[in-house]
């Protein structure tokens, strides 16, 4: 079954715009991390689309790793509260320059926990590169080093971002039509 044609009430960024922005950011990363021990860390699942786009244009030597960070209270998934971090592979953190790649930074609580996690494991530096930034909703002092686009406080889907695990495969970022929010 295809998604409804009106699933997005507004398209914010199409594939072309996202790729162009990923290229610009990658260029900056190439300069900023030249001669550093860069590890790009993709946060699953949302950042996968942006991560692979970015990766194509990062031309300096780097490693890639994957991590899953989920915010939850009890057994319900929420964007506030505790953050559970699951690492799939035991990767080297000490003396590495960690760049966390996120789909969206909202309250900043997930990033705050990730910073604490990497810092206690003695990395050389830890920073965030995010496709989207809901800056007005921030509850922490986390400032991403690289931001694709700053957006208003609206629930967005597509390009990796989900609503109830659906819509990640839409090739653009847009605001979900409120009539599909249950
Ligand atoms: P945080 O509030 O910065 O910790 O963000 C937690 C997570 O909430 C993000 O990694 C996303 O998975 C999710 N999230 C926040 N805003 C949106 C949205 O507009 N669409 C889809 N997921 C979102």
């Amino acid at each position: 079954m295809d998604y409804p044609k009106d699933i997005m009430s507004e398209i914010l960024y199409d594939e072309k715009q996202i790729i162009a922005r990923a290229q610009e950011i990658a260029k900056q990363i190439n300069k900023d991390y030249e001669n550093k021990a860069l590890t790009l860390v993709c946060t699953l699942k949302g950042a996968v689309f942006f991560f692979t786009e970015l990766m194509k244009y990062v031309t300096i030597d780097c490693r890639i790793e994957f991590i899953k960070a989920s915010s939850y209270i009890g057994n319900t998934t929420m964007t506030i509260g505790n953050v559970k971090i699951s690492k799939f592979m035991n990767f080297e953190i000490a003396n590495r320059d960690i760049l966390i790649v996120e789909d969206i930074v909202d309250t900043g609580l997930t990033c705050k926990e990730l910073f604490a996690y990497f810092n206690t494991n003695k990395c050389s530096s830890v920073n965030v590169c995010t496709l989207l930034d809901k800056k007005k909703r921030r509850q922490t002092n986390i400032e991403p080093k690289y931001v694709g686009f700053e957006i208003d406080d609206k629930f967005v889907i597509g390009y990796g971002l989900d609503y109830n695990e659906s819509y990640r495969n839409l090739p653009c970022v847009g605001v979900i039509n409120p009539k599909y929010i249950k």
Side-chain angles (χ1 to χ4, degrees):
M1 194 181 70
D2 286 351
Y3 293 137
K5 293 259 181 296
D6 61 347
I7 187 64
M8 286 180 178
S9 54
E10 189 188 348
I11 292 176
L12 299 181
Y13 301 102
D14 64 22
E15 201 170 12
K16 225 169 140 188
Q17 290 169 300
I18 296 169
I19 292 171
R21 190 73 190 106
Q23 288 172 339
E24 286 173 359
I25 294 173
K27 231 177 181 176
Q28 194 58 50
I29 292 172
N30 291 334
K31 275 191 202 150
D32 296 347
Y33 287 89
E34 205 186 355
N35 302 319
K36 298 226 166 136
L38 176 62
T39 299
L40 289 163
V41 180
C42 175
T43 54
L44 296 172
K45 305 170 194 170
V48 167
F49 283 56
F50 177 53
F51 184 77
T52 53
E53 227 32 83
L54 195 69
M55 277 296 305
K56 290 182 206 165
Y57 306 103
V58 171
T59 52
I60 55 172
D61 181 31
C62 68
R63 295 181 187 172
I64 65 164
E65 301 291 354
F66 295 84
I67 202 163
K68 188 165 168 60
S70 27
S71 321
Y72 72 102
I73 290 174
N75 53 12
T76 52
T77 303
M78 300 177 77
T79 54
I80 50 165
N82 299 326
V83 175
K84 184 185 168 201
I85 298 168
S86 336
K87 211 153 56 92
F88 296 107
M89 284 162 278
N90 238 352
F91 61 87
E92 223 175 290
I93 295 170
N95 306 317
R96 301 290 306 175
D97 292 283
I98 304 291
L99 184 58
I100 301 163
V101 181
E102 277 278 13
D103 49 353
I104 191 164
V105 179
D106 182 17
T107 62
L109 290 168
T110 306
C111 283
K112 192 179 167 204
E113 293 299 323
L114 288 171
F115 266 64
Y117 172 76
F118 285 115
N119 278 327
T120 49
N121 285 284
K122 296 191 171 55
C123 62
S124 296
S125 67
V126 56
N127 284 289
V128 174
C129 171
T130 185
L131 172 61
L132 302 170
D133 188 0
K134 277 191 194 169
K135 207 174 175 159
K136 288 177 199 135
R137 283 195 21 104
R138 202 75 91 253
Q139 293 173 20
T140 60
N141 58 1
I142 293 292
E143 277 306 320
K145 189 175 170 86
Y146 309 98
V147 172
F149 306 101
E150 195 181 318
I151 61 164
D152 290 333
D153 181 15
K154 291 177 179 169
F155 199 86
V156 291
I157 52 169
Y159 220 83
L161 290 131
D162 74 307
Y163 171 65
N164 269 347
E165 290 301 324
S166 288
Y167 315 120
R168 292 190 196 274
N169 53 333
L170 291 168
C172 58
V173 170
V175 179
I176 190 167
N177 189 331
K179 80 179 194 194
Y180 295 106
I181 296 182
K182 287 178 203 123

